Amino acid sequence: MNDLMNTVLGYVMPVYEIALAWIIDPANWVQFALLVVAYVAAVFITRKLNPRLIKALTPAADSQTALSKARRFVLIFMPLVLPLLAFALTAIGEQVTRSVFGAGEVIAFGKRVFLFLAVRAFVRDMLSDPLLKLIGKTVLIPLAAVYALGFLDPVILWLGATTVPLGNMSFSLLGLLRFAVVATIMFWLGRWSNDQSSALIEKQDMPPATRQLAVKAAEIAIFGAAFLVAMNIAGVPLTSLAVLTGALGVGIGFGLQKIASNFVSGVILLLEGQATVGDYVELDGGEAGTIVKMTARAAILETFDGKWIVVPNEDFIVTRVINYSDSGSANRYEVTFSVSYDTDINLIPGIIEPAVSALDFVLDAPHKPDVELDNFGDSGIDFIVEFWVEGIDDGQFKYRSHVRFAVWNALKDAGIEIPFPQRVLHVKGGLPVGAPE
């Protein structure tokens, strides 16, 4: 028991002596006091400054100018004002204590804690993407915590000495972590830049196909540049990606033929404008609907009943597609009807054509409604009324139903009978004896 107590005291006494020396050292008390003063001053300044900054940086709700967007971007960084201001004030205090007492370990620790709080606020309040937030929580915050505790240098040495072999290439754990940190920041900035560029391109006066191609090109350029910058900063040699690029090319050549074909077909569609968002198309297989979205791989059609059909881009190139051009084009439709044989058919065009022309969706150009004699049917005389509308009859009788109502009402008002199927039976040899007449 005595030996155990002596061993414990051998460990405790040095710690006790260090703690006692630290407590009775006036320089440490001054550093702690400056640390508290710096934090209190940062809180006071932030409470006074933040409302004024928010008021000055908040643009009008309907303003979409470049300056307004820049001001909204700056507002995103408001959660960092308090910890960064405390960090700056603490750094000034550290310079004072080191010049006066020649020591500043306590206030330097507080400065690192404030930087840790800034990193935590960045991950918690500024990162909205789930993947970026996960990287921030698993990489950025632990690194900031290690730095705050003062163990960053030995941890960096250990991470740099630990390598992960990957075929002919090898990466250190430090390089992987550096890449994750840089990629988190670069791709967050890339996402914001992509949103801004997409909104700017959408406002330009250009064909929809060209606009979508410009959006996709800007997205590829922004994230491609972010990836290259992240690889360069992380210290990953780009020449080492040659093997990966070659393997990817082989994979596309053998296993990803359809994906590559659909991607190229999508680019062709965007360039030529054969089909774009807003067009009503009918495919060779019978699928029909309005194109509501075009991606790098497929187009999404929305049918009249709200169903979505995913159609590979290749189908628009290699098969027959009927494009009704729903975006601002006139289309002709027809409705059939019949009248009885007792009707003066010469009166029909003068009755039906004005009734159909009175409908607000029927156009006078390129042609006014036209009534044509179609056939002499079994029960009546068949007519067709042709009319032009702006858009597509993409629903079940979207326009035809209104036209049929107009035809019915016009014929009823004119006293013209709409026939129904009738049959006349001739019995050879007369009726059987005793049969009722």
Side-chain angles (χ1 to χ4, degrees):
M1 183 63 68
N2 293 331
D3 294 338
L4 179 61
M5 291 296 296
N6 291 331
T7 303
V8 173
L9 289 175
Y11 287 106
V12 172
M13 289 305 296
V15 176
Y16 171 76
E17 292 174 357
I18 293 174
L20 182 61
W22 185 89
I23 292 175
I24 64 176
D25 189 353
N28 294 332
W29 284 101
V30 172
Q31 293 178 58
F32 184 76
L34 288 176
L35 184 63
V36 174
V37 170
Y39 178 74
V40 173
V43 172
F44 178 79
I45 295 174
T46 302
R47 289 180 179 178
K48 297 294 183 180
L49 185 61
N50 274 4
R52 293 181 173 85
L53 287 176
I54 294 174
K55 183 178 180 181
L57 294 173
T58 302
D62 56 347
S63 178
Q64 298 297 328
T65 62
L67 180 59
S68 298
K69 293 178 180 179
R71 292 162 67 184
R72 291 190 181 97
F73 177 72
V74 174
L75 282 172
I76 300 176
F77 294 88
M78 292 302 297
L80 302 182
V81 173
L82 175 60
L84 291 182
L85 183 59
F87 176 83
L89 295 177
T90 306
I92 297 174
E94 181 184 6
Q95 296 298 323
V96 173
T97 57
R98 290 191 183 276
S99 62
V100 175
F101 298 100
E105 291 77 11
V106 176
I107 198 168
F109 172 74
K111 183 180 69 173
R112 296 194 298 268
V113 170
F114 289 139
L115 185 61
F116 166 77
L117 295 177
V119 172
R120 192 185 67 160
F122 172 76
V123 175
R124 182 189 60 194
D125 301 327
M126 298 178 60
L127 294 182
S128 57
D129 184 81
L131 177 59
L132 297 181
K133 188 176 285 292
L134 176 63
I135 295 176
K137 290 181 178 179
T138 56
V139 178
L140 284 179
I141 292 180
L143 282 178
V146 171
Y147 172 73
L149 295 175
F151 301 138
L152 186 60
D153 291 338
V155 170
I156 287 180
L157 291 176
W158 178 80
L159 291 176
T162 306
T163 60
V164 179
L166 185 61
N168 295 329
M169 300 179 294
S170 61
F171 300 95
S172 66
L173 290 179
L174 179 62
L176 294 177
L177 288 177
R178 186 188 297 121
F179 174 76
V181 173
V182 174
T184 300
I185 299 174
M186 293 303 301
F187 279 92
W188 179 78
L189 292 174
R191 179 179 294 275
W192 181 84
S193 301
N194 181 62
D195 293 341
Q196 301 304 313
S197 62
S198 300
L200 180 62
I201 294 173
E202 291 292 341
K203 295 179 181 179
Q204 304 303 314
D205 186 14
M206 59 179 67
T210 306
R211 187 184 298 114
Q212 287 193 3
L213 182 61
V215 170
K216 292 297 180 183
E219 181 178 0
I220 293 174
I222 290 173
F223 283 102
F227 175 76
L228 294 177
V229 171
M231 294 288 288
N232 189 28
I233 295 177
V236 179
L238 299 180
T239 55
S240 62
L241 298 178
V243 176
L244 180 62
T245 305
L248 182 61
V250 173
I252 291 177
F254 290 97
L256 304 177
Q257 295 182 15
K258 285 295 183 181
I259 295 178
S261 176
N262 286 321
F263 178 79
V264 175
S265 299
V267 174
I268 294 174
L269 288 174
L270 292 175
L271 287 174
E272 296 185 354
Q274 296 176 350
T276 185
V277 174
D279 288 353
Y280 186 86
V281 297
E282 182 179 350
L283 303 180
D284 203 20
E287 300 90 350
T290 302
I291 301 178
V292 296
K293 186 178 182 180
M294 296 189 71
T295 65
R297 187 189 67 85
I300 299 178
L301 308 185
E302 184 176 10
T303 63
F304 69 90
D305 54 357
K307 294 183 175 65
W308 279 21
I309 304 175
V310 180
V311 181
N313 291 328
E314 186 182 16
D315 291 357
F316 288 90
I317 303 297
V318 300
T319 62
R320 188 183 65 135
V321 178
I322 302 175
N323 190 343
Y324 291 92
S325 299
D326 188 26
S327 54
S329 62
N331 293 277
R332 184 182 67 85
Y333 296 96
E334 60 185 32
V335 167
T336 60
F337 64 95
S338 300
V339 297
S340 67
Y341 278 97
D342 296 333
T343 305
D344 183 359
I345 60 176
N346 298 298
L347 302 177
I348 298 301
I351 297 173
I352 300 301
E353 290 177 359
V356 176
S357 297
L359 298 174
D360 56 356
F361 58 83
V362 175
L363 304 177
D364 293 333
H367 301 287
K368 294 182 178 181
D370 180 37
V371 175
E372 298 178 357
L373 179 61
D374 182 40
N375 191 23
F376 295 102
D378 295 337
S379 303
I381 304 174
D382 300 328
F383 285 88
I384 295 177
V385 55
E386 299 174 347
F387 59 95
W388 290 77
V389 297
E390 187 79 20
I392 301 299
D393 195 358
D394 57 346
Q396 292 181 330
F397 314 117
K398 176 180 178 181
Y399 297 121
R400 294 184 180 94
S401 175
H402 297 288
V403 173
R404 289 190 176 99
F405 270 104
V407 170
W408 173 277
N409 294 328
L411 293 178
K412 285 297 183 180
D413 292 342
I416 296 176
E417 179 184 358
I418 299 177
F420 54 88
Q422 301 181 28
R423 296 291 183 269
V424 177
L425 300 178
H426 297 276
V427 181
K428 293 185 177 180
L431 295 174
V433 179
E437 297 183 359

